[in-house]
């Protein structure tokens, strides 16, 4: 099987030296992507295209094409039959054999593109071949405007490329034509799509994951990163870095005023990300931030947050709507996984500021030992190779199994409401079992002092806070922790 790779139009418009470099990199990426799946090919780079010949069993041709469709830098993939071009009648016979069934009882036109010197014009070939097809194929009719089928022929000197099928490619630039970047991936729709966008733009993309939700959170984020890597950048070795951010989150929540906790958390993300990027010699950071989507993503807050970054912050989704982002996540097949990931950043603060004051922010951060927190985060960072990660059974990190209950027992159960004290007191929920209030950020420190003969049922309004702390307690060895199910109903 021969395939003709059409380059993304932006590549063709580059200067000769740049275009040649892009084509060379794309050729290498094609070979490496196929090699990842144990497929081989021969590659012939040309001025504005790449000729690829598949070296595999015909049954694997669909897989071969699908891999190429996901390689950045490719605009179109033409499945072709390569034949010698000697005269118009010989060409007509080849075209007739290839298209006889496809054109029966259909309108069609013939389009010819030529390179080189020939005694006939392109329009002469179109008329000759089109007229012959009309005479020899039952029910066919030439129609130059809006035909049902188009017969495409490309001629270069003494070779003719008969196009059997056209597949759309990913477009963009080949990976490696732009600098490496570090994507701050959280597992949500936004960070997955922003990662894909930067890969498509030619960046070698590494992943940085700030873990706020335990092993389950890690499990889903690694699945998403692996999905993106396998689909669009398997031609390159990339790194996946995990940083446990739970202690930093607790420090911020206990020290910083409520309205500034979210902004402080984001600034700590950026500080640690810069330190990781420096170690890995990466020059840019990528986030899934979109203007105005949440309180920390107002223009004023974004400006304040990025002040701590020494590297450029790339935000490919900055002007996209959530609906557009989710639609793109569905296209790259990460949406289903992201739908299961909780928005952990949303736990920081009840009334977040939308316009952080720099002076007040600095006063709040003065309550933290920032250098020590960053140093500890860097020290505990875990770096994994994505190629090795792709070979792992990720189920082993989904070990934390939460138990959700919808029935309470007065002889053994105690409700722990992890909301703040004011919300707890105002709610006045009619619990049929004893209920105590231990706010989210104090629960870990106080849980060990409780009567461990009881079963503790964690509760919050949306289930997010209780879920996070249940995972954390279980991972710390406590077995008497469950979460109240969303379908629990108070007796009337």
């Amino acid at each position: 099987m021969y395939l003709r790779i059409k380059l993304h139009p932006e590549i063709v418009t580059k200067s000769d030296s740049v275009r040649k470099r892009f084509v060379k990199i794309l050729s290498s990426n094609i070979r490496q992507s196929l090699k990842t799946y144990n497929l081989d090919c021969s590659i012939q780079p040309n001025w504005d295209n790449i000729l690829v010949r598949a070296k595999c069993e015909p049954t694997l041709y669909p897989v071969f094409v699908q891999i190429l469709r996901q390689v950045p830098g490719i605009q179109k993939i033409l499945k072709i039959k390569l034949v010698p071009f000697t005269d118009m009648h010989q060409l007509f016979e080849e075209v007739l054999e290839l298209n006889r069934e496809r054109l029966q009882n259909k309108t069609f036109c013939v389009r010819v593109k030529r390179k080189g010197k020939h005694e006939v014009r392109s329009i002469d070939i179109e008329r000759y071949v089109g007229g012959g097809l009309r005479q020899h194929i039952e029910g066919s009719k030439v129609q130059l405007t809006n035909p049902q089928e188009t017969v495409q022929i490309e001629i270069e000197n003494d070779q003719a490329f008969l196009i059997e099928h056209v597949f759309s490619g990913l477009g963009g630039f080949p990976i490696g034509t732009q600098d490496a970047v570090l994507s701050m991936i959280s597992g949500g729709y936004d960070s997955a799509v922003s990662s894909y966008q930067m890969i498509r733009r030619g960046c070698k993309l590494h992943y940085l994951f700030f873990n706020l939700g335990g092993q389950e959170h890690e499990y889903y984020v690694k699945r998403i990163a692996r999905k993106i890597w396998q689909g669009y950048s398997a031609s390159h070795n990339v790194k996946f870095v995990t940083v446990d951010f739970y202690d930093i989150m607790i420090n911020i929540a206990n020290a910083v005023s409520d309205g500034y906790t979210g902004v402080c958390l984001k600034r700590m993300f950026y500080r640690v990300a810069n330190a990781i990027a420096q170690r890995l010699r990466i020059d840019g950071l990528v986030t899934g931030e979109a203007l105005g989507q949440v309180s920390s993503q107002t223009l004023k807050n974004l400006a304040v947050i990025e002040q701590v970054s020494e590297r450029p912050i790339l935000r490919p989704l900055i002007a996209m709507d959530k609906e557009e982002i989710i639609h793109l996540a569905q296209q790259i097949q990460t949406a289903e996984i992201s739908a299961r990931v909780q928005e952990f950043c949303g736990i920081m603060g009840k009334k977040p500021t939308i316009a952080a004051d720099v002076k007040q922010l600095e006063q709040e951060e003065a309550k933290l030992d920032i250098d020590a927190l960053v140093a500890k985060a860097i020290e505990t960072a875990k770096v994994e190779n994505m190629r090795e990660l792709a070979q792992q059974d990720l189920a082993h990190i989904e070990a934390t199994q939460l138990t959700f209950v919808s029935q309470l027992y007065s002889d053994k159960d105690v409700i722990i409401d992890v909301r703040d004290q004011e919300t707890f007191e105002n709610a006045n929920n009619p619990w049929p079992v004893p209920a105590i209030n231990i706010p989210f950020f104090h629960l870990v420190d106080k849980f060990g002092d409780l009567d461990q003969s009881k079963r503790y049922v964690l509760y919050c309004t949306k289930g997010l806070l209780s879920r996070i702390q249940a995972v954390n307690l279980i991972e710390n060895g406590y077995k008497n922790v469950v979460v109240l199910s969303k379908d629990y109903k108070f007796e009337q």
Side-chain angles (χ1 to χ4, degrees):
M1 176 180 67
Y2 282 94
L3 298 170
R4 201 170 194 189
I5 306 300
K6 292 289 188 179
L7 309 178
H8 182 59
E10 286 189 63
I11 299 175
V12 181
T13 61
K14 301 291 184 184
S15 66
D16 289 354
S17 59
V18 173
R19 183 189 51 75
K20 288 178 181 178
R21 181 172 68 87
F22 276 36
V23 170
K24 183 178 180 180
I25 291 174
L26 178 55
S27 299
S28 176
N29 291 351
I30 290 172
R31 193 182 302 279
Q32 286 300 121
S33 296
L34 293 168
K35 186 178 180 181
T36 300
Y37 296 93
N38 298 315
L39 296 173
D40 193 15
C41 67
S42 63
I43 295 177
Q44 178 185 319
N46 298 307
W47 176 260
D48 60 354
N49 67 82
I50 299 172
L51 184 63
V52 177
R53 182 170 70 86
K55 295 182 178 180
C56 61
E57 295 293 328
T59 55
L60 294 176
Y61 287 170
V63 177
F64 196 99
V65 171
Q66 185 57 38
I67 292 171
L68 293 184
R69 293 187 69 180
Q70 296 177 179
V71 175
I74 297 176
Q75 188 72 9
K76 291 182 180 180
I77 302 165
L78 311 182
K79 183 182 178 183
I80 61 172
K81 181 179 181 181
L82 186 60
V83 300
F85 176 58
T86 54
D87 58 60
M88 288 193 294
H89 189 73
Q90 168 266 333
L91 180 62
F92 154 71
E93 291 180 336
E94 295 281 2
V95 174
L96 176 63
E97 180 183 353
L98 189 64
N99 292 276
R100 186 186 296 274
E101 294 184 6
R102 181 166 74 104
L103 300 183
Q104 281 186 358
N105 300 311
K106 291 183 179 180
T107 60
F108 73 95
C109 71
V110 178
R111 297 294 183 222
V112 175
K113 293 182 179 179
R114 288 184 308 112
K115 288 183 180 179
K117 295 183 178 180
H118 304 96
E119 295 181 356
V120 293
R121 300 173 300 168
S122 297
I123 193 171
D124 297 330
I125 300 174
E126 291 174 353
R127 288 170 175 170
Y128 187 90
V129 173
L133 295 176
R134 181 180 58 79
Q135 293 179 19
H136 290 80
I137 299 178
E138 183 180 354
S140 66
K141 181 180 180 181
V142 174
Q143 184 172 306
L144 300 182
T145 304
N146 297 323
Q148 292 175 290
E149 300 287 346
T150 299
V151 178
Q152 299 183 62
I153 304 170
E154 295 186 6
I155 300 172
E156 290 188 9
N157 300 317
D158 59 352
Q159 286 187 319
F161 301 85
L162 309 185
I163 300 171
E164 299 182 49
H165 195 83
V166 179
F167 302 93
S168 59
L170 197 63
F173 289 153
I175 298 174
T177 57
Q178 309 302 314
D179 293 327
V181 293
L182 185 63
S183 175
M184 298 159 64
I185 185 169
S186 66
Y189 300 106
D190 304 340
S191 59
V193 172
S194 64
S195 298
Y196 159 78
Q197 294 281 51
M198 296 310 299
I199 290 173
R200 187 177 176 276
R201 201 58 188 169
C203 293
K204 181 179 180 180
L205 184 130
H206 303 272
Y207 300 90
L208 174 58
F209 165 51
F210 297 121
N211 193 342
L212 300 175
Q215 290 184 337
E216 185 183 40
H217 191 194
E218 180 182 352
Y219 168 72
Y220 286 121
V221 173
K222 283 186 173 179
R223 279 186 60 190
I224 289 171
R226 185 171 68 176
K227 186 80 173 178
I228 298 170
W229 177 80
Q230 288 177 327
Y232 306 101
S233 59
S235 55
H236 287 72
N237 289 317
V238 304
K239 294 178 175 62
F240 186 97
V241 184
T242 304
V243 177
D244 188 342
F245 233 71
Y246 182 83
D247 287 343
I248 294 179
M249 178 179 67
I250 294 295
N251 270 272
I252 293 173
N254 289 333
V256 176
S257 299
D258 183 71
Y260 279 78
T261 53
V263 174
C264 282
L265 181 66
K266 287 291 185 73
R267 279 165 65 103
M268 289 300 293
F269 283 162
Y270 280 21
R271 289 186 177 101
V272 175
N274 271 268
I276 296 289
Q278 182 176 359
R279 284 195 173 190
L280 299 180
R281 298 181 180 180
I282 296 173
D283 295 325
L285 304 178
V286 179
T287 78
E289 293 164 323
L291 188 62
Q293 189 172 105
V294 294
S295 61
S296 65
Q297 295 174 21
T298 62
L299 191 58
K300 290 184 178 179
N301 279 351
L302 288 175
V304 170
I305 291 169
E306 69 180 19
Q307 285 178 355
V308 301
S309 179
E310 300 170 357
R311 286 162 175 75
I313 308 299
L314 306 175
R315 301 182 174 101
L317 312 186
I318 193 66
M320 291 183 67
D321 297 331
K322 195 68 174 184
E323 185 177 358
E324 295 175 292
I325 295 169
I326 294 175
H327 179 68
L328 193 48
Q330 291 169 340
Q331 289 184 1
I332 63 175
Q333 299 181 347
T334 60
E336 183 180 352
I337 307 173
S338 291
R340 305 178 187 180
V341 179
Q342 302 289 337
E343 294 287 348
F344 293 102
C345 292
I347 68 177
M348 300 298 288
K350 288 178 59 180
K351 299 178 181 179
T353 179
I354 60 172
D357 179 77
V358 176
K359 290 184 178 180
Q360 185 175 347
L361 180 58
E362 291 174 348
Q363 291 174 2
E364 296 293 341
E365 289 187 331
K367 303 173 185 177
L368 304 169
D369 189 344
I370 291 176
D371 291 340
L373 290 173
V374 172
K376 184 178 179 181
I378 299 302
E379 182 182 345
T380 58
K382 180 175 63 175
V383 182
E384 299 175 85
N385 183 284
M386 184 59 73
R387 199 172 294 279
E388 295 175 358
L389 189 63
Q391 302 300 320
Q392 297 177 13
D393 178 8
L394 295 182
H396 74 282
I397 62 174
E398 199 187 15
T400 303
Q401 296 294 326
L402 292 180
T403 300
F404 294 87
V405 299
S406 56
Q407 187 173 359
L408 300 175
Y409 301 93
S410 58
D411 59 332
K412 68 173 182 177
D413 286 342
V414 176
I415 290 289
I416 298 181
D417 192 322
V418 299
R419 298 175 295 179
D420 64 275
Q421 184 178 355
E422 181 184 354
T423 302
F424 171 73
E425 292 175 351
N426 292 335
N428 194 26
N429 292 330
W431 296 111
V433 299
I436 58 177
N437 173 226
I438 306 179
F440 175 85
F441 293 108
H442 302 292
L443 181 58
V444 173
D445 293 334
K446 295 184 177 182
F447 191 83
D449 298 331
L450 301 176
D451 180 0
Q452 297 302 312
S453 66
K454 299 291 186 179
R455 184 177 76 165
Y456 292 97
V457 184
L458 272 56
Y459 168 79
C460 67
T461 306
K462 295 183 178 179
L464 174 59
L465 301 180
S466 56
R467 185 188 183 98
I468 294 174
Q469 283 297 34
V471 169
N472 190 53
L473 289 169
I474 292 171
E475 290 179 0
N476 279 280
Y478 294 103
K479 306 299 182 184
N480 56 335
V481 181
V482 296
V483 178
L484 190 67
S485 174
K486 291 182 178 180
D487 61 5
Y488 175 81
K489 295 182 179 179
F490 292 104
E491 294 183 6
Q492 300 297 326

